[in-house]
Amino acid sequence: MEQKKPNQKLKRKRRNNTSHKTAYKTKLYLNKNNSTRALAVETLKENRLAINLAGLKLPNPTMLASGILGYTKETFKTIADGGAGAIVTKSVGLKPRSGYANPTVTQTSCGLVNAMGLPNPGIEEFAKEIIEAKRVLNVPLIVSVYGFTAEEYATVAKKAVVAGADAVELNVSCPHVRETGSEIGQNPTILKEVVEKVKSTVQKPIFVKLSPNVTSIAEIAEAAVNAGADAITAINTVKAMAIDAETAKPILSNKVGGLSGPAIKPIALRCVYEIYERVKVPIIGCGGITNWRDAVEFLLAGASALQIGTVIATKGPNIFKATTRGINAYLKRKGFRSVNEIVGLSHKS
Ligand code: DHB
C-alpha cells in the first residue's frame, strides 16, 4: 500500500513549535486586568524570543557554544547572567585527559585556531560540577560528550544525564583528536552506530554537532537524524593551521587545529542552509556569530537556535543580551510575533 506523504507545511510547523499565541493571551490578560503596560511589554518581549528546542524550553535562542569557558558552575552562571538561553559545556569523556602541550590556541588575522586535545576531568569528576551547576542555573544545561567507541559515548551521556544534564550534545566533529570526533562524524556508518547507542541509553534530547570538513554535511545530518538525533548543531571548527614565519614552524603543538570566529560564518551559514533542506529536526547554528545580524542570518538560513563562542573572548558575556535585544528589535521592526516565524525564511524566496 502506498504511504501517504505528510504535509510539508505541517512538518515544518512541528519543527518551530513555540507558540506565539501565549504572547497574545498574556497581553490580553494583562490589559483586561489593567496591569502595568511595562510588564505586558516585557512579557511580550520574552515570549517573542522564547523557544522550545527539541523539548527544552529556552528563554531566547542563544546558547553558549561548547569549548568556550567550559567546566565550572561559576562560568556557566556568568554566561547565563549575560543572557544566554542555554549552556553547552566543553566536551567531557569517560576518563580524565590532560590534552596537548602548549601552545594550544593562537590568534590569526581572521579568527582563533585551537587544538587543546580534549582536556577534561572525566565524567566522574565532572558529574559533581553538573549537579552544582543545576542548582544555580535557570536555563537548560547541555553536556557535550565524546568517546572512542559507541559504548563510551553512551556511558558518558548516561552519567551526564543522571547528574542532571537536560540534553547531551555529541561531539562527533573535533577535527584533530584521533579515533574520536570527526573520525566518527565523517563516516555515516560509524555515526549511526554512535547515535543509536546513545539514543537507546538516555531519555533526554540528543544534539549531534557536525563537522564542516566533509563532502556533504546534509548527508551526514540525515544519517544522524535517521539514527535518532533530536537536533543538529552545525558547525564545529574548520580544520586549519598557523605557521610562524620567523621560526619556520607550526605554532600549535599539535600543528593542526580548528578555526573559529567570523571567518567561518559564511561556511556555517551554507551548512545550516543545506541541512535545513534535508532534515526536519531543529538546527542549532554555530560558527562566527558576533552580533544580532549574524544571528538573524542563521535563523533565516534555517537555524532554530544559535551558539555563540569565540566572540565572548573580545565582547564578554553580555554579548548574549546584546544579540537577543538585536533579534527582538529586528522581529519587531519587521512585524514578526515570534522568532520561530523567521526560521528558514530565506528558503521561501
Ligand atoms: C577540541 C576542539 C574542538 O573543535 C572540539 O570540537 C572539541 C575539542 C579540543 O581541542 O579540545
Side-chain angles (χ1 to χ4, degrees):
M1 203 172 67
E2 198 185 289
Q3 266 207 321
K4 223 178 155 191
K5 249 192 148 185
N7 180 306
Q8 286 299 320
K9 262 193 184 158
L10 279 179
K11 277 172 84 182
R12 273 287 179 245
K13 269 211 161 140
R14 230 178 295 137
R15 170 149 64 181
N16 307 325
N17 53 2
T18 302
S19 166
H20 52 73
K21 275 188 197 140
T22 328
Y24 282 104
K25 269 191 205 149
T26 315
K27 190 180 180 187
L28 283 174
Y29 175 82
L30 288 167
N31 286 349
K32 256 192 222 158
N33 289 279
N34 214 15
S35 299
T36 65
R37 190 169 295 272
L39 181 57
V41 169
E42 197 51 43
T43 311
L44 261 179
K45 192 167 107 182
E46 289 236 319
N47 285 343
R48 195 188 280 125
L49 290 163
I51 62 161
N52 181 330
L53 182 67
L56 299 187
K57 289 192 172 69
L58 273 63
N60 72 73
T62 69
M63 306 162 73
L64 172 68
S66 175
I68 307 286
L69 305 169
Y71 289 120
T72 70
K73 65 172 184 303
E74 288 81 10
T75 48
F76 298 155
K77 180 79 168 73
T78 304
I79 296 295
D81 291 346
I87 303 289
V88 188
T89 70
K90 184 152 171 59
S91 301
V92 61
L94 194 55
K95 299 193 184 118
R97 246 179 93 94
S98 49
Y100 304 140
N102 282 329
T104 54
V105 186
T106 185
Q107 190 158 15
T108 72
S109 57
C110 63
L112 295 182
V113 182
N114 87 84
M116 300 199 271
L118 293 164
N120 79 98
I123 188 63
E124 295 297 345
E125 192 57 32
F126 189 55
K128 297 175 198 161
E129 204 67 32
I130 298 174
I131 295 166
E132 289 297 313
K134 283 299 294 173
R135 290 207 179 106
V136 297
L137 284 178
N138 53 2
V139 294
L141 178 67
I142 298 130
V143 175
S144 171
V145 162
Y146 76 90
F148 293 95
T149 62
E151 283 72 24
E152 266 190 36
Y153 271 95
T155 305
V156 180
K158 174 95 187 179
K159 286 178 191 284
V161 166
V162 168
D166 297 295
V168 291
E169 182 176 86
L170 305 184
N171 180 352
V172 291
S173 43
C174 171
H176 47 72
V177 177
R178 295 214 175 88
E179 293 172 34
T180 185
S182 60
E183 288 195 18
I184 288 168
Q186 286 167 341
N187 182 324
T189 313
I190 307 174
L191 178 62
K192 176 175 180 278
E193 193 196 329
V194 168
V195 177
E196 280 179 353
K197 184 74 192 167
V198 178
K199 185 76 182 172
S200 64
T201 309
V202 300
Q203 265 74 55
K204 294 284 180 182
I206 298 166
F207 303 168
V208 179
K209 186 167 182 178
L210 298 183
S211 170
N213 310 309
V214 292
T215 307
S216 168
I217 197 167
E219 204 174 300
I220 302 285
E222 192 170 34
V225 171
N226 288 343
D230 297 291
I232 297 291
T233 304
I235 57 175
N236 205 319
T237 51
V238 177
K239 201 169 181 178
M241 75 182 299
I243 291 174
D244 183 340
E246 298 307 320
T247 62
K249 288 192 165 72
I251 294 174
L252 299 176
S253 76
N254 188 59
K255 299 187 178 78
V256 165
L259 176 67
S260 63
I264 73 167
K265 194 198 88 179
I267 300 171
L269 209 53
R270 182 267 302 169
C271 288
V272 168
Y273 192 93
E274 287 179 358
I275 295 168
Y276 186 85
E277 302 244 311
R278 188 72 77 99
V279 303
K280 301 296 170 211
V281 300
I283 302 162
I284 304 157
C286 179
I289 297 174
T290 63
N291 54 44
W292 70 264
R293 193 175 284 277
D294 292 340
V296 165
E297 289 170 19
F298 273 86
L299 294 161
L300 296 171
S304 298
L306 315 150
Q307 291 185 357
I308 296 176
T310 303
V311 67
I312 303 167
T314 47
K315 292 200 183 160
N318 285 333
I319 183 67
F320 291 94
K321 272 181 199 154
T323 305
T324 302
R325 260 193 229 117
I327 299 171
N328 192 56
Y330 172 87
L331 294 173
K332 211 168 157 187
R333 174 160 60 86
K334 297 279 189 183
F336 293 108
R337 290 162 300 178
S338 160
V339 66
N340 296 301
E341 291 177 11
I342 69 164
V343 172
L345 206 57
S346 70
H347 294 256
K348 298 188 175 85
S349 54

